[in-house]
Amino acid sequence: QVQLVESGGGLVQAGGSLRLSCAVSRSISSANAMGWYRQAPGKQRELVANIISGGSTMYADSVKGRFTISRDNPKNTVYLQMNSLKPEDTAVYYCNAKFWGVVFWGQGTQVTVSS
């Protein structure tokens, strides 16, 4: 079993920044992929960004140029740097990791952007 714990969410004004962290209970260097998703009230969970084992990244169009996903292998932590936040970024943000073809999820962290 793999545990993921997100942190760093909170309340921020539009235009501000937050950095989310996802601490993983095993070595992320062996992960096939890691990603950040979000779910706003009444909406489906959507992919925000992911990073695969080779280091390639992918972003949702809505966050390109504003969000950056990165990882620190020695710390077994994945980050999501979020800049120029907008009210529509308000959601619960979830971290996930894929090991051996199995996807594990964290419990989520709330991000609220006020206008």
Side-chain angles (χ1 to χ4, degrees):
Q1 192 70 3
V2 178
Q3 282 78 47
L4 289 75
V5 179
E6 301 98 333
S7 61
L11 174 64
V12 64
Q13 288 188 332
S17 298
L18 284 174
R19 187 177 80 156
L20 305 183
S21 299
C22 174
V24 185
S25 64
R26 68 166 288 127
S27 174
I28 64 173
S29 60
S30 60
N32 305 118
M34 299 198 65
W36 286 95
Y37 287 70
R38 67 186 180 187
Q39 187 167 18
K43 294 187 177 181
Q44 289 189 329
R45 191 173 296 189
E46 63 175 359
L47 174 67
V48 176
N50 71 1
I51 183 167
I52 64 173
S53 58
S56 297
T57 58
M58 187 184 76
Y59 297 91
D61 287 343
S62 59
V63 307
K64 281 180 182 177
R66 300 188 298 123
F67 291 11
T68 303
I69 187 171
S70 62
R71 65 188 182 194
D72 186 333
N73 286 356
K75 293 184 177 180
N76 294 324
T77 300
V78 177
Y79 303 99
L80 185 68
Q81 177 67 43
M82 306 186 294
N83 299 327
S84 302
L85 283 161
K86 304 175 181 180
E88 51 264 43
D89 295 318
T90 295
V92 178
Y93 283 71
Y94 299 90
C95 174
N96 84 351
K98 188 174 184 180
F99 290 89
W100 324 291
V102 179
V103 178
F104 300 90
W105 292 91
Q107 82 290 348
T109 185
Q110 176 70 46
V111 171
T112 303
V113 184
S114 63
S115 57

